[in-house]
């Protein structure tokens, strides 16, 4: 009788632990709202719903590095040329999340050079805007690309981690790195990481 009770209790504990892990994996991390993005001079930001999985179109510079498992995203738009997307991924462990964050940083840091190799006649540059002291850390980068007879495009990236959850925020619009709202975007990245629930 005692052994049956112990086995039943152990089985119940395993089921409860599994259910808790499943519930955590099924719950979206905390996301930014439109008001958390750098203010646009002529338009409000419109936020889409928080959606499970990755965006239908992979954000520029992040192709092939974001895992589908554990992913959530939210897109943002304005009445003009600016847009943004936030993707957050719940990893299996802190260590795997740290590896993902490092992979995202390497991908963005190499993006301008990779784009130039694929785009004859184009110009591109990038900027490391430094680390942020928030949770397990965050990093902000900028990438500027242009092709002849076309409007240039600039993107900012904020990549950060809280425990086993990684987030990347990408902001973009027409223009160059000199047009990018870097101080405001650094605040956006800090907010994004602080809002995660690992």
């Amino acid at each position: 009788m005692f052994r049956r009770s112990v086995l039943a209790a152990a089985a119940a504990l395993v089921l409860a632990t599994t259910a808790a892990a499943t519930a955590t994996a099924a719950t979206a991390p905390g996301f930014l709202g439109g008001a958390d993005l750098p203010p646009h001079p002529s338009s409000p930001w419109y936020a889409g719903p928080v959606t499970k999985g990755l965006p239908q179109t992979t954000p520029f510079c992040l192709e092939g590095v974001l895992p589908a498992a554990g992913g959530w995203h939210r897109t943002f738009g304005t009445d003009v040329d600016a847009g943004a997307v936030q993707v957050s991924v719940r990893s299996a462990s802190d260590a795997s999340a740290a590896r993902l964050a490092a992979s995202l940083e390497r991908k963005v840091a190499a993006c301008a050079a990779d784009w130039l190799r694929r785009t004859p006649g184009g110009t591109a540059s990038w900027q490391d805007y430094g680390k942020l002291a928030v949770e397990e850390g965050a990093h902000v980068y900028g990438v500027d690309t242009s092709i002849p007879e076309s409007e240039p495009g600039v993107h900012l990236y904020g990549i950060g981690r809280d425990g086993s959850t990684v987030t990347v925020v990408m902001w973009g619009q027409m223009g160059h790195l000199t047009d990018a709202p870097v101080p405001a975007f650094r605040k956006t990245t800090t907010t994004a990481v602080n809002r995660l629930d690992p």
Side-chain angles (χ1 to χ4, degrees), residues 105 108-109 126-134 137-143 155-160 168-171 177 180-191 193:
E105 290 192 32
V108 171
W126 75 288
Q127 184 69 46
D128 183 341
Y129 292 114
K131 297 181 179 181
L132 301 174
V134 53
H139 211 132
V140 174
Y141 299 89
V143 177
H155 295 84
L156 295 176
Y157 298 84
I159 301 162
V168 55
V169 183
M170 185 193 79
W171 168 97
L177 288 174
V182 176
F185 187 77
R186 286 172 61 89
K187 292 180 182 177
T188 294
T189 302
T190 298
T191 300
V193 177

Side-chain angles (χ1 to χ4, degrees), residues 8-166:
L13 179 60
V14 169
L15 287 172
T17 302
T18 303
T22 302
T24 298
T27 304
F31 271 75
L32 295 168
D36 299 312
L37 292 165
H40 193 280
S42 63
S43 171
W45 283 96
Y46 305 104
V50 174
T51 305
K52 193 170 185 178
L54 299 180
Q56 188 171 7
T57 301
T58 303
F60 178 61
C61 290
L62 301 179
E63 299 86 352
V65 70
L66 286 166
W72 296 80
H73 72 277
R74 186 175 211 177
T75 57
F76 304 86
T78 63
D79 292 328
V80 284
D81 62 312
V85 61
Q86 181 182 6
V87 180
S88 296
V89 178
R90 290 194 185 279
S91 298
S93 66
D94 287 10
S96 60
R99 288 192 296 271
L100 173 59
S103 295
L104 288 165
E105 290 192 32
R106 287 193 299 271
K107 185 76 171 179
V108 171
C111 180
D114 290 343
W115 185 85
L116 280 174
R117 280 192 288 271
R118 299 190 306 267
T119 315
T123 60
S125 61
W126 75 288
Q127 184 69 46
D128 183 341
Y129 292 114
K131 297 181 179 181
L132 301 174
V134 53
E135 299 298 343
E136 274 67 63
H139 211 132
V140 174
Y141 299 89
V143 177
D144 179 329
T145 58
S146 179
I147 56 176
E149 299 179 9
S150 180
E151 292 289 342
V154 59
H155 295 84
L156 295 176
Y157 298 84
I159 301 162
R161 180 171 72 91
D162 183 3
S164 61
T165 305
V166 176

